[in-house]
């Protein structure tokens, strides 16, 4: 997948979590890229490995659609999600 075709750059997906949205069942989307270099970062691989680990956003949207009624929410984290210029549009699609 090329960066030009992506709504947002997704570096990873966790299909379900019971801890990231307290009291709710959620899916987690990890965006690619970050402008911070925190020494305690839990996801350094999605910050530094350019296009090698991107996940197609249509795959994620299809997955979320299939989980409608089963998930209470979606957590978008990073990397740093606010660096994604199309983040508001992607959230609307969710």
């Amino acid at each position: 997948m090329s960066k030009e075709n992506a709504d947002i750059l997704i570096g990873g997906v966790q299909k379900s979590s019971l801890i990231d949205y307290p009291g709710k069942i959620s899916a987690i989307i990890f965006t690619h890229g970050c402008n911070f270099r925190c020494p305690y970062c839990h996801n350094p691989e999605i910050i530094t490995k350019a296009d090698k680990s991107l996940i197609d956003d249509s795959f994620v949207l299809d997955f979320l659609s299939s989980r409608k009624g089963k998930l209470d929410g979606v957590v978008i984290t990073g990397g740093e999600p606010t660096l994604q210029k199309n983040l508001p549009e992607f959230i609307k699609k969710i």
Side-chain angles (χ1 to χ4, degrees):
M1 170 180 191
S2 71
K3 288 183 179 185
E4 296 81 32
N5 294 331
D7 279 345
I8 67 169
L9 303 178
I10 300 172
V13 176
Q14 185 172 333
K15 294 182 177 182
S16 63
S17 170
L18 301 174
I19 60 173
D20 291 276
Y21 189 167
K24 307 286 184 185
I25 300 171
S26 64
I28 308 167
I29 299 171
F30 298 91
T31 60
H32 181 63
C34 186
N35 54 338
F36 299 108
R37 294 297 177 260
C38 304
Y40 52 83
C41 181
H42 292 254
N43 301 311
E45 65 281 354
I46 64 173
I47 294 169
T48 59
K49 290 188 180 173
D51 289 332
K52 295 180 181 178
S53 62
L54 293 180
I55 298 170
D56 191 81
D57 51 357
S58 63
F59 168 81
V60 174
L61 292 169
D62 288 345
F63 166 74
L64 292 174
S65 179
S66 75
R67 300 292 300 219
K68 201 176 230 181
K70 297 176 181 144
L71 293 172
D72 298 311
V74 177
V75 175
I76 301 175
T77 188
E80 177 48 56
T82 61
L83 293 177
Q84 306 294 322
K85 67 178 182 173
N86 293 329
L87 182 62
E89 291 82 6
F90 184 73
I91 292 171
K92 287 177 188 175
K93 289 180 181 181
I94 292 174

